[in-house]
């Protein structure tokens, strides 16, 4: 029997997004689930900075189309023989793994341990906006920074979220507020300041100006936690100055230039990285935590505690619309998430 094919958006060459061949409509073989994999019929996807980083221009050429995209909402079509958590017909959402083909295709394979049940109160597009950013924010707050899930334990504690209007910041702001922290976000434009406040931030400061004078004007001497979502080295000195003694800083952004980590010593500050792909990439023993946290997040969404962060919806899922979405993301001025839905 001949392989079934499916529509996808991929590329052979790593090109600037304005180039018509930077993302192409392609036909590829439809995969078959084995082991603990689900085959998911993709209803909606969203774009993240990682998509543009992976696709950025370089001399490498792919012999077969490279498919990226790490945010999917859809319905389980088939399951591998070892699957126990889901069955065909289940509505799911997830981010997938950076080491496997991405979800910009009609059908997609994913390990069940990093998949959650889709929130019933959201449509597929709203759900697709969430997984990568929500897993990042959740792991950063609870696993990396060690924030308590008991709001009473966090009374009087403050978190500064640098880049609070973006995809991860939009979720982190809501989660941190739900955890009982005083949330101070950074944003620089009136529309992004408004967005961050709508999501529950107590205050907003400008990341282009020194942090400490702005915090002091709010009556805050220093913050207990910092979550950096933008240019670690650019904000390094401000973070060192603003963090409390024995405080914790988490970043999701690699540095292009060296930073002086010794500046943290005097205050005994913890610095930690978060990458939501670590668990699936290394098949860690606790990989199933992503399944659990996506289900817990779905409960919070269905209870009305957390809201989706869709800012723009495009349809259908094709190369032209994905090029538009990547260009929006590369502008650095997106608020919330850009989502695509429906293969024609």
């Amino acid at each position: 029997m001949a392989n079934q094919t499916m529509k996808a958006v991929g590329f052979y060459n790593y090109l600037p997004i304005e180039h018509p061949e930077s993302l192409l409509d392609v036909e590829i073989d439809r995969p078959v689930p084995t082991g603990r994999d689900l085959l998911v019929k993709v209803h909606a996807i969203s774009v993240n900075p990682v998509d543009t980083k992976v696709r950025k221009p370089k001399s490498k050429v792919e012999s077969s189309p490279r498919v990226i995209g790490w945010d999917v909402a859809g319905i389980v079509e088939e399951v591998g023989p070892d699957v126990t958590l889901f069955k065909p017909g289940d509505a799911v959402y997830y981010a997938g793994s950076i080491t496997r083909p991405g979800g910009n295709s009609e059908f997609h394979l994913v390990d069940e341990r990093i998949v959650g049940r889709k929130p019933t109160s959201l449509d597929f597009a709203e759900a697709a906006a969430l997984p990568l950013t929500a897993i990042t924010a959740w792991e950063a707050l609870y696993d990396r920074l060690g924030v308590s899930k008991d709001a009473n334990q966090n009374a009087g504690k403050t978190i500064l979220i640098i880049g609070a209007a973006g995809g991860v910041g939009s979720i982190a702001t809501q989660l941190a507020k739900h955890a009982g922290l005083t949330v101070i976000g950074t944003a620089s434009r009136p529309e992004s300041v408004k967005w961050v406040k709508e999501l529950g931030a107590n205050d907003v400061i400008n990341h282009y100006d020194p942090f400490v004078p702005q915090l002091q004007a709010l009556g805050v001497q220093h913050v207990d936690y910092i979550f950096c979502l933008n240019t670690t080295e650019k904000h390094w000195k401000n973070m060192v100055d603003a963090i409390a003694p024995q405080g914790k800083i988490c970043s999701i952004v690699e540095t292009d230039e060296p930073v002086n980590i010794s500046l943290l010593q005097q205050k005994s500050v913890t610095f930690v990285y978060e990458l939501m792909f670590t668990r699936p990439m290394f098949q860690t023993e606790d990989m199933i935590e992503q399944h659990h946290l996506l289900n817990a997040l779905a409960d919070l969404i269905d209870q009305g505690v957390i809201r989706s962060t869709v800012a723009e919806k495009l349809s259908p899922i094709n190369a032209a619309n994905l090029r538009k979405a990547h260009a929006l993301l590369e502008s650095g001025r997106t608020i919330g998430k850009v989502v695509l839905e429906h293969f024609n």
Side-chain angles (χ1 to χ4, degrees), residues 270-283:
T270 300
F271 177 78
V272 64
Y273 269 121
E274 157 60 18
L275 180 68
M276 58 74 54
F277 290 124
T278 299
R279 281 167 161 154
M281 189 189 300
F282 294 99
Q283 300 275 302

Side-chain angles (χ1 to χ4, degrees), residues 65-100:
R66 178 157 191 196
V67 177
I68 59 173
W70 292 281
D71 259 335
V72 171
I75 292 179
V76 177
E77 182 89 357
E78 298 172 29
V79 298
D82 303 327
V83 166
T84 60
L85 302 173
F86 297 97
K87 62 187 185 307
D90 286 346
V92 296
Y93 74 144
Y94 60 89
S97 169
I98 191 84
T99 56
R100 302 183 71 176

Side-chain angles (χ1 to χ4, degrees), residues 291-331:
H291 166 71
H292 296 317
L293 78 82
L294 285 170
N295 283 348
L297 180 77
D299 290 339
L300 290 175
I301 289 162
D302 290 339
Q303 291 159 15
V305 175
I306 303 290
R307 69 183 230 205
S308 179
T309 55
V310 174
E312 187 159 356
K313 288 184 190 180
L314 302 173
S315 182
I317 301 170
N318 61 21
N321 276 332
L322 260 171
R323 286 197 297 271
K324 190 186 295 185
H326 278 231
L328 277 169
L329 218 58
E330 288 182 3
S331 75

Side-chain angles (χ1 to χ4, degrees), residues 2-15:
N3 279 351
Q4 289 181 283
T5 61
M6 63 179 180
K7 293 177 183 175
V9 178
F11 57 88
Y12 295 92
N13 299 290
Y14 294 79
L15 299 163

